[in-house]
């Protein structure tokens, strides 16, 4: 029995109420009666959805990848030690759960290209153990692993080591990737579902995107992809796709209500309108866009265009603490700051809260009626510490929305239920011992890292090469003829 905010942004808090649960669903919500006992000092409300993340148990700062422009930062991620996929995802999911997140789009970053199925098994097991709903995007990538564009001059400049690394890259073929999606789909259950995860258009060949669009239409499975995270990516695309990349994606059938696009920082108004028409969902990732210097996504424009959006942490929350409630606040403040002088909310509060509770969730589990507490909806709710949130407010019955938007953070999350199962109680995961998982992950990672020789000078040289590649606009040059590129690699092999 608790105070109840059933539809945040659409109806005021009521209560105390009793939520009756049956088979993981809300059967009925009724006003508390005298014999229900004393009300708990909590606010019950829908649990949050994280519309874009990567499930990295070791945060990027922990592996030595300092915040930097995305194109440089990505090159640092190779320092992550290969660890048990269960521990890796389990630590991340447990932190999310304790932040009030009941559902997450997990864009899987493969640790070992040959072990994706094994990794997926570990992630699925972690999802069930923690008890949150995970949409697993199976990664597809096939081009531009080092830079967007012709890497040959860069490899030559970097010397034999870079060439050896490039030769050792072993990607999955499109067919292998599509077959793996089917294998991984065998793991599907209440906490785990599968999506196609083309990593981003600059990393996936057009033919593969076309095949994924077709497969998604045939199977009904969702697609999750990064798009226009940085201006460099936008410029790369503008130099290659006459008429625009977004129009091209539309022509090949990728734009549909099954598609989620992460970031979209550099989307133009006409493109936002087209995406809205096709029913595409965006994941806005404000912290990540700040830390990786990607820019500010035009969230108000998306709202005006009727383009649906959720909110994602991307493993890069501002304070590196996976705080989803703070992320909502950050998005709101950044969107308002982008229209100085206006006395209107850039994103009206109901739309902002729908992003956090409803729209992002749909991009993970589909429209299951969740994100609102009502009869017939899944019982996915969180409990916030009401005295901590509102104890200093003079009004004995205050409007809770300004407090939620203005100060709520993960420290207020006392409990969470997913499908009626209490997965967080007293602020801690019940299904796993989060500190123990984090500790096991850390000691395993330290063991692995100790066996790998660090070479900061090499990393620095590589970054300098990447920096120069973009500074000289090599990403705007035409792609090499595939036959030419092959010849070059053969020449490298002989060296
Ligand atoms: Zn991402």
């Amino acid at each position: 029995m608790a105070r109840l905010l059933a539809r945040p942004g659409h109806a005021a808090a009521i209560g105390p109420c009793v939520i009756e649960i049956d088979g993981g669903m809300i059967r009925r919500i009724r006003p508390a009666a005298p014999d229900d006992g004393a009300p708990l000092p909590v606010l019950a409300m829908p649990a949050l959805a994280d519309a874009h993340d990567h499930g990295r148990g070791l945060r990027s700062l922990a592996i030595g990848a300092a915040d930097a422009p995305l194109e440089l930062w990505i090159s640092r991620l190779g320092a992550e030690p290969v660890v048990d996929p269960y521990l890796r995802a389990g630590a991340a999911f447990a932190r999310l759960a304790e932040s009030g997140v009941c559902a997450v789009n997990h864009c899987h970053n493969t640790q070992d290209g040959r072990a994706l199925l094994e990794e997926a098994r570990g992630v699925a097991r972690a999802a069930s153990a923690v008890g949150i709903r995970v949409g697993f995007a199976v990664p597809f990538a096939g081009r531009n692993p080092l830079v967007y564009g012709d890497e040959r001059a860069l490899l030559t400049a970097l010397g034999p080591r870079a060439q050896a690394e490039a030769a050792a890259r072993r990607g999955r073929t499109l067919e292998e990737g599509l077959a793996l999606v089917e294998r991984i789909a065998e793991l599907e259950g209440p906490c785990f579902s599968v999506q196609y995860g083309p990593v981003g258009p600059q990393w996936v060949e057009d033919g593969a995107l076309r095949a994924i669009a077709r497969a998604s239409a045939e199977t009904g499975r969702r697609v999750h992809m990064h798009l226009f995270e940085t201006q460099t990516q936008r410029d790369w695309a503008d130099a290659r796709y006459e008429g625009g990349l977004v129009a091209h994606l539309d022509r090949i059938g990728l734009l549909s209500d099954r598609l989620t696009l992460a970031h979209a920082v550099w989307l133009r108004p006409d493109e936002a309108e087209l995406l809205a028409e096709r029913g595409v969902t965006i994941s806005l990732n404000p912290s990540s866009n700040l830390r990786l210097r990607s820019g500010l996504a035009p969230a108000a424009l998306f709202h005006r265009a009727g383009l649906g959006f959720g909110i994602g942490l991307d493993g890069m929350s501002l304070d590196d603490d996976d705080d989803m409630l703070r992320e909502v606040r950050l998005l709101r403040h950044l969107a308002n700051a982008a229209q100085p002088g206006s006395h209107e909310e850039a994103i009206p509060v109901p739309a902002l809260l729908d992003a956090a509770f409803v729209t992002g969730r749909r991009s993970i589990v589909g429209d299951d009626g969740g994100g609102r507490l009502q009869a017939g909806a899944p019982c996915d709710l969180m409990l916030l510490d009401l005295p901590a949130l509102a104890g200093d407010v003079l009004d004995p019955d205050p409007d809770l929305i300004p407090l939620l938007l203005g100060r709520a953070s993960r420290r207020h999350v006392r409990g969470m239920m997913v499908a009626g199962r209490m997965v967080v109680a007293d602020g801690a995961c019940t299904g796993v011992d989060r500190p123990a998982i984090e500790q096991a992950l850390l000691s395993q990672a330290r063991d692995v890292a100790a066996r790998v020789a660090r070479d900061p000078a090499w990393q620095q040289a590589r970054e300098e090469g990447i920096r120069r590649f973009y500074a000289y606009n090599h990403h705007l040059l035409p792609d090499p003829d595939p036959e030419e590129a092959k010849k070059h690699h053969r020449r490298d092999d002989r060296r």
Side-chain angles (χ1 to χ4, degrees):
M1 183 178 41
R3 290 276 287 169
L4 180 79
L5 191 57
R7 299 171 64 223
H10 297 277
I14 55 166
C17 290
V18 171
I19 300 170
E20 296 177 358
I21 306 165
D22 185 15
M25 311 293 277
I26 297 173
R27 185 157 63 97
R28 186 163 78 117
I29 297 173
R30 62 170 173 80
D35 55 358
D36 288 318
L40 300 167
V42 291
L43 173 68
M45 58 185 297
L48 295 149
D50 178 353
H52 176 74
D53 219 312
H54 292 276
R56 276 190 292 267
L58 280 180
R59 297 175 173 101
S60 49
L61 286 172
I63 61 167
D67 296 358
L70 176 88
E71 284 77 19
L72 299 177
W73 178 81
I74 283 184
S75 80
R76 298 173 185 175
L77 292 183
E80 183 185 357
V82 177
V83 291
D84 176 357
Y86 168 79
L87 293 177
R88 182 178 188 244
F93 295 162
R95 286 198 294 265
L96 288 178
E98 291 178 4
S99 169
V101 171
C102 69
V104 58
N105 265 325
H106 170 86
C107 279
H108 190 73
N109 288 138
T110 323
Q111 300 186 91
D112 176 351
R114 290 151 303 180
L116 179 56
L117 183 58
E118 265 319 297
E119 291 182 12
R121 286 197 183 110
V123 174
R125 199 153 64 81
S128 304
V130 174
I132 65 172
R133 305 179 191 272
V134 172
F136 182 96
V138 179
F140 286 81
R143 62 173 165 179
N144 298 332
L146 186 59
V147 283
Y148 317 144
D150 185 356
E151 65 179 14
R152 289 175 298 174
L154 175 56
L155 290 179
T156 304
L158 287 176
R161 179 164 175 181
Q163 289 154 6
E165 279 182 7
R169 283 183 208 133
R170 189 195 162 278
R172 286 176 294 278
T173 64
L174 171 64
E175 290 67 30
E176 285 169 336
L178 291 171
L180 264 171
V181 170
E182 299 305 322
R183 294 290 305 279
I184 295 171
E186 292 167 14
L187 305 169
E188 285 189 327
C191 289
F192 188 83
S193 57
V194 171
Q195 306 194 359
Y196 298 97
V199 180
Q202 63 281 353
W203 293 304
V204 185
E205 284 95 349
D206 291 341
L209 285 178
R210 200 173 275 118
I212 288 167
R214 211 179 308 124
S216 166
E218 280 165 12
T219 60
R221 280 195 198 108
R222 298 194 57 88
V223 182
H224 192 103
M225 181 170 86
H226 296 79
L227 179 75
F228 291 161
E229 182 166 355
T230 65
Q231 187 169 19
T232 308
Q233 293 174 1
R234 161 108 244 173
D235 293 344
W236 169 87
D238 287 347
R240 280 164 179 75
Y241 294 90
E242 216 175 305
L245 172 60
V246 174
H248 166 76
L249 296 177
D250 193 34
R251 273 196 301 279
I252 66 171
L254 197 70
L255 305 187
S256 80
D257 60 1
R258 296 179 304 278
L259 176 66
T260 307
L261 296 171
H263 298 282
V265 174
W266 296 92
L267 205 61
R268 284 195 288 253
D270 58 310
E271 295 167 337
E273 275 167 31
L274 176 60
L275 294 181
E277 238 171 77
R278 298 290 182 263
V280 174
T281 304
I282 303 294
S283 172
L284 295 170
N285 312 299
S287 282
S288 169
N289 295 340
L290 292 174
R291 291 179 59 180
L292 303 179
R293 299 188 218 171
S294 305
L296 300 177
L301 166 77
F302 296 171
H303 172 70
R304 286 197 302 275
L307 177 56
F309 53 85
I311 307 171
L313 289 169
D314 200 15
M316 291 294 282
S317 58
L318 195 64
D319 297 316
D320 221 16
D321 59 356
D322 308 275
D323 194 327
M324 198 63 203
L325 285 162
R326 182 173 290 131
E327 197 72 10
V328 177
R329 175 157 51 259
L330 187 64
L331 171 60
R332 180 192 184 207
H333 287 327
L334 288 174
N336 284 331
Q339 51 170 50
S342 168
H343 291 167
E344 306 296 329
E345 290 279 342
I347 308 167
V349 168
L352 177 71
L353 293 173
D354 278 351
F357 296 107
V358 180
T359 316
R361 178 189 175 94
R362 280 187 194 146
S363 75
I364 302 161
V365 297
D367 189 1
D368 65 349
R372 291 176 175 158
L373 301 185
Q374 55 198 7
C379 186
D380 291 6
L381 59 81
M382 64 175 172
L383 303 172
L384 299 190
D385 182 334
L386 203 46
L389 186 67
D392 64 337
V393 180
L394 301 183
D395 184 344
D397 184 21
D399 180 358
L400 294 173
I401 296 299
L403 299 170
L404 190 70
L405 292 175
R407 58 163 67 151
S409 72
R410 61 178 297 139
R411 73 183 187 279
H412 294 109
V413 177
R414 301 311 303 157
M416 182 167 74
M417 264 188 178
V418 181
R421 170 187 168 197
M422 204 76 197
V423 303
V424 174
D426 294 326
C429 280
T430 59
V432 299
D433 181 342
R434 196 252 314 147
I437 285 200
E438 286 183 325
Q439 195 48 52
L441 172 67
L442 187 56
S443 64
Q444 199 179 92
R446 284 195 169 132
D447 281 352
V448 176
R451 292 197 293 270
V452 180
R454 289 182 66 245
D455 191 346
W458 163 239
Q459 174 60 23
Q460 215 176 337
R462 189 164 50 175
E463 277 188 32
E464 194 42 46
I466 295 171
R467 199 178 278 120
R468 231 175 297 140
F469 178 91
Y470 292 114
Y472 287 98
N473 285 328
H474 285 189
H475 59 300
L476 306 183
L477 301 175
D479 287 321
D481 171 49
E483 285 308 309
E484 271 294 304
K486 257 188 230 155
K487 260 188 253 161
H488 181 88
H489 278 298
R490 274 200 294 273
R491 223 170 32 235
D492 288 343
D493 292 345
R494 283 200 302 271
R495 261 185 229 158

